[in-house]
Amino acid sequence: MAAASPAGPEDDAQAVLDELSRNFTYWAPGPGNGSLSSAWYRRNQVHLFGVLLAILGNLVISISLNIQKYSHLHLAQKEHPKPYFKSVLWWSGVLLMAIGEMGNFAAYGVAPITLIAPLGCMSVTGNAIISVIFLKENLRASDLLGMTLAFAGTYLLVSFAPNMIQTISARTVQYCFVGWQFLVYVILEILVFCILLYFHKRKGRKHIVILLTLVALLASLTVISVKAVSGMITLSVTGKMQLTYAIFYVMLVIMVASCVFQVKFLNQATKLYTMTTVVPVNHVFFTTSAIIAGIIFYQEFLGAAFLTVFIYLLGCFLSFLGVFLVTRNRENEHLQQSFIDFGNIPGKQTLDKIQPDSNGLSSGTLPDGSYSTRSQSGEKKEA
């Protein structure tokens, strides 16, 4: 019998390719993620439909935010502005936001959490593009670089995310809900949440990391419950009724409650810190928490090849970096260039443009009723 020849470089390269081509579900052999073949697209049509829903949903949310922002600016220019909630334009933005969130909700029902959650970067990059078109904001070099990195990261995420097809039935959710992995995860999450809540409430600590970590811990429960509710509704629509199971309503309550408290802590963060700080940090924390939740509860990376996981994490990192570059210094630049020009006021000598107060609703009025501006050197001018 001839002796087996030692493995050469070609065998090592083939081993890496074989590892990459493994299916993510239970190490079953088969075509893997990252392939650009037509077979890959046919096999992942359902997931790609979820990706399309999520991307379109995030873009619609970006449009809605810009419409609401334009509505506020339009009302502020009027002599006697009416409340924003009486504006048809503002309600149009709210309606579009609801449609966008419905798209994200449906996407979680047909695609893995680890695939949908990172696509939130599309909302940030889309907002930058739309604000340039509709609000005439500047397009910076860092915006272009950030968008490029975000798009590259999104491509890697879509190509190398888990391709497992998992039917989310009530029995599946029940099985995952009582699994030891999720029970350990929930206990640790509750302990961390209580410790952070103690420092926040009792010690008065309001650091952005504490606030957004509380948001992220709640977000992990939100994405788990959203996928469960969306998946069971989707299965019920196909004829397999799942809404009669108690677990559906348990998940529905968890979804609503976690969303409400999530918004509460997020609002506190936005009041204390600028949006240019909150948006990128919240995106990183939320996405990381959602990915961990998907891995633990739905076991979405079970049997994943190491190289595929590495490229997936690289895609996450690129999208995080892209969001940071797009949001970097955007609010400061906006404040330097935006002003409200009241024109020539009869009987008054206008020395400069009147700069709005970024932390309030005033337009530069002093307590004594006179107008003021602050020059770049820091001197205050009065008229």
Side-chain angles (χ1 to χ4, degrees):
M1 180 181 296
S5 60
E10 294 182 359
D11 295 331
D12 293 338
Q14 185 61 40
V16 172
L17 292 176
D18 291 340
E19 181 183 16
L20 181 61
S21 66
R22 287 183 184 274
N23 189 281
F24 270 12
T25 310
Y26 310 115
W27 285 103
N33 294 343
S35 172
L36 298 180
S37 64
S38 58
W40 182 89
Y41 287 104
R42 287 195 300 270
R43 189 175 61 256
N44 292 275
Q45 282 182 354
V46 176
H47 290 174
L48 291 176
F49 177 67
V51 170
L52 181 62
L53 284 175
I55 292 177
L56 290 178
N58 284 311
L59 291 179
V60 170
I61 291 173
S62 299
I63 295 174
S64 72
L65 291 174
N66 279 275
I67 288 177
Q68 292 180 64
K69 184 176 181 181
Y70 177 80
S71 174
H72 286 298
L73 293 175
H74 181 69
L75 292 173
Q77 293 175 358
K78 293 185 176 181
E79 185 177 357
H80 301 290
K82 59 182 179 180
Y84 65 89
F85 54 83
K86 292 185 178 180
S87 170
V88 176
L89 192 62
W90 184 82
W91 279 108
S92 300
V94 173
L95 179 61
L96 285 176
M97 178 173 288
I99 294 174
E101 292 295 352
M102 287 176 61
N104 281 329
F105 178 81
Y108 278 109
V110 297
I113 293 175
T114 48
L115 177 58
I116 300 301
L119 296 179
C121 66
M122 290 292 99
S123 178
V124 179
T125 54
N127 183 69
I129 297 173
I130 295 169
S131 63
V132 171
I133 298 174
F134 292 102
L135 300 180
K136 307 303 180 183
E137 295 185 2
N138 291 334
L139 183 64
R140 309 166 301 173
S142 60
D143 294 336
L144 294 174
L145 178 59
M147 292 174 194
T148 302
L149 291 176
F151 292 149
T154 300
Y155 174 79
L156 293 179
L157 289 169
V158 173
S159 299
F160 290 89
N163 62 7
M164 58 182 294
I165 303 297
Q166 188 177 26
T167 302
I168 305 300
S169 64
R171 294 188 181 277
T172 302
V173 176
Q174 288 175 347
Y175 175 80
C176 296
F177 196 79
V178 297
W180 68 267
Q181 301 96 329
F182 179 67
L183 293 178
V184 172
Y185 173 73
V186 167
I187 292 173
L188 291 176
E189 187 172 87
I190 291 175
L191 288 176
V192 174
F193 186 87
C194 291
I195 292 172
L196 292 177
L197 194 61
Y198 171 79
F199 281 104
H200 175 60
K201 294 292 186 180
R202 297 289 185 177
K203 300 296 183 179
R205 304 291 174 82
K206 301 183 183 299
H207 195 276
I208 188 172
V209 172
I210 293 179
L211 290 171
L212 294 185
T213 301
L214 291 171
V215 173
L217 292 174
L218 291 168
S220 66
L221 297 178
T222 301
V223 295
I224 288 174
S225 56
V226 164
K227 182 172 180 62
V229 172
S230 179
M232 283 188 278
I233 291 177
T234 302
L235 199 59
S236 298
V237 171
T238 61
K240 300 179 180 179
M241 180 55 64
Q242 304 292 312
L243 307 187
T244 56
Y245 290 87
I247 191 66
F248 173 81
Y249 299 97
V250 171
M251 285 296 181
L252 185 62
V253 170
I254 293 175
M255 180 183 72
V256 174
S258 60
C259 283
V260 170
F261 287 102
Q262 218 182 134
V263 171
K264 176 184 176 181
F265 290 118
L266 190 58
N267 282 338
Q268 292 183 20
T270 55
K271 288 179 181 178
L272 296 173
Y273 301 92
T274 62
M275 291 301 293
T276 55
T277 303
V278 173
V279 169
V281 176
N282 183 60
H283 175 67
V284 172
F285 282 21
F286 168 83
T287 304
T288 303
S289 177
I291 291 173
I292 294 173
I295 292 173
I296 293 177
F297 191 86
Y298 294 105
Q299 301 182 11
E300 292 182 5
F301 269 104
L302 183 64
F306 172 78
L307 184 58
T308 309
V309 175
F310 175 79
I311 299 177
Y312 172 84
L313 294 177
L314 176 62
C316 290
F317 174 75
L318 291 178
S319 67
F320 294 161
L321 185 58
V323 169
F324 172 77
L325 290 175
V326 170
T327 57
R328 185 177 63 93
N329 296 330
R330 176 168 290 276
E331 188 165 324
N332 294 336
E333 181 178 287
H334 178 69
L335 288 178
Q336 291 172 4
Q337 296 180 354
S338 299
F339 57 83
I340 299 176
D341 188 359
F342 286 91
N344 295 324
I345 303 177
K348 295 289 184 179
Q349 180 182 2
T350 305
L351 299 179
D352 203 347
K353 307 294 183 186
I354 299 177
Q355 176 67 40
D357 181 8
S358 61
N359 296 320
L361 298 177
S362 64
S363 57
T365 306
L366 293 176
D368 60 359
S370 61
Y371 294 102
S372 72
T373 61
R374 190 177 297 274
S375 64
Q376 293 182 352
S377 61
E379 297 178 353
K380 184 181 290 185
K381 301 178 184 179
E382 296 185 5

